Amino acid sequence: AQSVSQHNHHVILSEAASLELGCNYSYGGTVNLFWYVQYPGQHLQLLLKYFSGDPLVKGIKGFEAEFIKSKFSFNLRKPSVQWSDTAEYFCAVNQGTGANNLFFGTGTRLTVIP
Amino acid sequence: NAGVTQTPKFRILKIGQSMTLQCTQDMNHNYMYWYRQDPGMGLKLIYYSVGAGITDKGEVPNGYNVSRSTTEDFPLRLELAAPSQTSVYFCASKVNTEAFFGQGTRLTVV
């Protein structure tokens, strides 16, 4: 089965600092990649997704992610974080076809200090 | 658009009690899911369904049951609540590859 690794469990940054959250997956075939964000007390919302084409994907709120196939990675980046970016971020990988094929990482909690 | 709707948002249960977490979606998605989210553990799949009348176990199904009598509804049942089931539960539906999540149900078993 697919495994998704998010190595940063908790990241603390000051406002205006740059952000990069790591995500690695294990499956070597065709995948679709996602980053979800969960603001405190809320449900998961889609931040961005990669299906095919340009490996640099831009999402909402200034976030972007780069798919590097050779490294099985899909890291999330933002040049300058804001206090409102404080949330938990989940990387997810959709593998192949069928229903039971969406796998989540354990999440990275981001705290932005004003 | 309502999307995926879960009820209740919060619930406290005593050990041994039963309850049903409701989930309904209005997007006509065939695939539906129940996850539990525990601190530092990410999302674990409990059960999923590929369509009305068809359900299957996920990674952590013990202590839960589901049914899927219609495309819209996918309730999750806890028969004998245990403290280990204290968690936040999310229902999701999926079309193609993108999943849509409900607001979550925070369940505490005491």
Side-chain angles (χ1 to χ4, degrees), chain A residues 38-106:
Chain A
Q38 186 181 28
Y39 297 105
Q42 297 190 25
H43 66 293
L44 277 77
Q45 304 170 43
L46 185 66
L47 202 54
L48 49 77
K49 59 188 177 185
Y50 172 79
F51 286 178
S52 64
D54 189 344
L56 185 61
V57 179
K58 295 197 182 297
I60 60 172
K61 304 186 180 185
F63 285 91
E64 64 180 30
E66 185 174 13
F67 170 53
I68 303 179
K69 189 173 181 179
S70 61
K71 294 185 178 180
F72 298 91
S73 71
F74 190 56
N75 291 357
L76 181 71
R77 300 195 291 249
K78 186 170 183 179
S80 176
V81 294
Q82 301 172 313
W83 175 77
S84 58
D85 293 325
T86 294
E88 190 146 15
Y89 293 81
F90 292 91
C91 180
V93 177
N94 192 90
Q95 166 191 323
T97 59
N100 186 16
N101 63 348
L102 185 60
F103 301 90
F104 285 86
T106 53

Side-chain angles (χ1 to χ4, degrees), chain B residues 15-100:
Chain B
I15 295 171
Q17 285 186 321
S18 62
M19 78 163 293
T20 300
L21 282 68
Q22 302 291 345
C23 176
T24 187
Q25 52 96 5
D26 62 359
M27 297 174 282
N28 203 34
H29 291 169
N30 283 328
Y31 297 167
M32 294 189 74
Y33 304 83
W34 274 106
Y35 292 91
R36 59 178 288 171
Q37 183 185 26
D38 300 299
M41 302 295 290
L43 277 74
K44 301 289 186 184
L45 182 64
I46 304 171
Y47 269 95
Y48 68 101
S49 169
V50 301
I54 306 170
T55 63
D56 210 343
K57 295 178 180 179
E59 187 179 359
V60 289
N62 292 343
Y64 306 95
N65 275 302
V66 294
S67 59
R68 185 92 182 272
S69 56
T70 66
T71 299
E72 294 78 19
D73 300 309
F74 190 42
L76 177 72
R77 179 117 181 123
L78 284 72
E79 291 293 349
L80 289 170
S84 61
Q85 294 177 305
T86 293
S87 188
V88 180
Y89 292 84
F90 287 99
C91 179
S93 69
K94 188 166 75 134
V95 61
N96 296 325
T97 56
E98 184 173 342
F100 297 83

